[in-house]
Amino acid sequence: YKFHKQADGTYTPDLPGFIKTLGAFPERIKNLYFTYLFLLRAVNRATPFLENYNYDTGNPEGDAQTKQLVQQLLHLKKNGECSIVFDGFNDRE
């Protein structure tokens, strides 16, 4: 899926490219949806571990950035626009 650069410097979606590679194949869209849900469920189950993990990239700046990015992801789970999607995986009850 690519973007076209317009004369004004902005990028717009390549709809014909999308249809050619993905949109004309419903099974590919189903596979993407399944993968999306699978990853969300994994993040949901791993949240306690991810919150407390000691990220060690070998670079202190990289460690801090990794921790911050993971916290941003988990924040989306708790309070962001994605929270309703994550709520569908409340299988701990």
Side-chain angles (χ1 to χ4, degrees):
Y1 184 52
K2 298 180 181 178
F3 290 87
H4 285 281
K5 186 173 183 180
Q6 303 299 311
D8 66 358
T10 62
Y11 287 86
T12 58
D14 176 11
L15 186 57
F18 170 79
I19 291 171
K20 180 181 175 185
T21 60
L22 190 66
F25 302 95
E27 71 279 3
R28 292 180 185 177
I29 294 173
K30 288 178 185 177
N31 287 340
L32 283 174
Y33 181 69
F34 172 79
T35 302
Y36 171 74
L37 293 178
F38 184 82
L39 287 172
L40 284 181
R41 186 173 183 136
V43 168
N44 190 51
R45 286 181 168 225
T47 294
F49 176 77
L50 293 171
E51 287 176 326
N52 298 308
Y53 187 75
N54 181 21
Y55 297 96
D56 184 4
T57 65
N59 175 344
E61 290 177 11
D63 297 346
Q65 183 181 22
T66 301
K67 181 77 170 177
Q68 179 185 19
L69 291 171
V70 170
Q71 292 302 322
Q72 286 176 0
L73 174 65
L74 299 177
H75 176 75
L76 286 174
K77 176 189 176 279
K78 293 178 183 175
N79 305 315
E81 295 175 11
C82 296
S83 63
I84 193 165
V85 177
F86 280 102
D87 290 344
F89 296 116
N90 190 5
D91 55 359
R92 293 187 179 144
E93 295 178 357

